[in-house]
Amino acid sequence: MSQLVISRRLRAIDLAKCKAEGRKIIALTAYHAHTAGILDAHCDFILVGDSLGMVMHGMETTLPVTLEMMIVQAQAVMRGTTRALVVVDMPFGSYEASREQAFMNAARVLKETGAGAIKMEGGARFADTVAFLVERGVPVMGHIGLTPQSVNTMGGFRVQGRGEEGERRLMEDARAINDAGAFAIVLEGIVEPVARAIATNAAITTPTIGIGASVECDGQILVLEDMLGLSDRAPKFVKRFGSLRDQIEEAVRGYAEEVRSGRFPADEHTY
C-alpha cells in the first residue's frame, strides 16, 4: 500500500499567504548545502541564483552560466534544507527560444533538483511563456527591472524606471507577468517611486520581492555574499550585515603564521 508523503517545505502558494496576512517575505541566495542550511530557518524562500557565475566563478556577468551549473548547485541547496521554498534561476539561453524550450528545461530543473519553483527574467514579452509553464504545473517567479541577463542590451547594470516611458514599460511588465500567473515578481534596480507604484498597485495581486527597489515590496532579497561583506564590491542597495571577508582573512593569516612557525599542528591536533 502506498503512503502519502507530506512535505513540510513552504510552497509557492505560501508566499501569497504572507502577502495576504501582511507578513514580509524573507529571501536570500544560496549555492551550497552548508550556507543554505543556515538560511533555512530564517528565509521563506532561498534563491539559487545565476549570480553564482559572478559570486562563485568570478565571471563578469551571469551570461555564461549553464543549466547544468544551476542544477548541480540547486541539488546542493536542497540537500542542505528542509523547510524553505527553493527557487532556481533559469539561466540565459534556457527559455528564450520558445515556450516549449522553457517547459522542457524548467521540468528538468524541477525533476533533477526537487526544487519548488523556477525564476525567469523578463517582462511582457515573456508573459505568454510564463502562462504556458504555469498551465503545465511549473510555479514561476517573475523578474523585471534590472535583468542581469539583458546586460548587453541594457548597456550595463543600470537603474530602471527613469522617465515616463520607463515607468510605463515597467508597469506593463508587472501587469503582464502578474496576469500570466507568476506566484511572485522580483523587482530589481528600480527607482523607488516606480517600484512603490508597482508594489502598491491593486492590480498587482502577486507578491513583489524587492532588491534595490521599494520598502513597500512584500519582501526583500539580497545576494548572501554581498550582505555578509564577502564581496569586493556591492551595489548601493546592499546593506552589509556582516564583515566576514575581514574575519576570514584574519583567520587565514593566523593559520599561515602558525604553520610557518611550527606551532600548528600542536600535540592536541596530532594522533
Side-chain angles (χ1 to χ4, degrees), residues 19-102:
K19 179 180 176 71
E21 296 171 2
R23 291 186 287 114
K24 288 290 189 180
I25 297 166
I26 314 301
L28 287 165
T29 63
Y31 322 112
H32 319 91
H34 59 279
T35 52
I38 296 170
L39 307 187
D40 196 35
H42 306 283
C43 292
D44 298 298
F45 77 89
I46 295 172
L47 175 65
V48 186
D50 59 359
S51 51
L52 66 87
M54 303 171 75
V55 174
M56 293 181 62
H57 298 280
M59 298 172 178
E60 292 186 3
T61 70
T62 63
L63 298 182
V65 174
T66 66
L67 191 66
E68 287 68 27
M69 291 168 68
M70 297 304 306
I71 289 172
V72 168
Q73 302 308 144
Q75 289 170 339
V77 169
M78 287 295 294
R79 284 192 288 268
T81 59
T82 58
R83 173 189 168 275
L85 168 68
V86 174
V87 182
V88 183
D89 257 338
M90 296 294 288
F92 179 71
S94 68
Y95 61 92
E96 294 91 341
S98 68
R99 302 179 308 174
E100 291 74 18
Q101 179 206 31

Side-chain angles (χ1 to χ4, degrees), residues 63-164:
L63 298 182
V65 174
T66 66
L67 191 66
E68 287 68 27
M69 291 168 68
M70 297 304 306
I71 289 172
V72 168
Q73 302 308 144
Q75 289 170 339
V77 169
M78 287 295 294
R79 284 192 288 268
T81 59
T82 58
R83 173 189 168 275
L85 168 68
V86 174
V87 182
V88 183
D89 257 338
M90 296 294 288
F92 179 71
S94 68
Y95 61 92
E96 294 91 341
S98 68
R99 302 179 308 174
E100 291 74 18
Q101 179 206 31
F103 175 74
M104 292 301 295
N105 285 327
R108 181 183 170 194
V109 167
L110 298 185
K111 282 185 174 184
E112 296 186 23
T113 68
I118 59 97
K119 181 171 76 65
M120 285 174 39
E121 293 185 9
R125 64 194 176 102
F126 286 118
D128 185 52
T129 300
V130 172
F132 187 83
L133 297 186
V134 173
E135 288 169 0
R136 285 154 181 78
V138 178
V140 178
M141 177 176 287
H143 183 159
I144 66 171
L146 198 171
T147 47
Q149 292 176 15
S150 302
V151 62
N152 288 334
T153 55
M154 283 184 169
F157 296 97
R158 295 183 175 180
V159 175
Q160 301 295 301
R162 300 192 189 281
E164 291 183 7

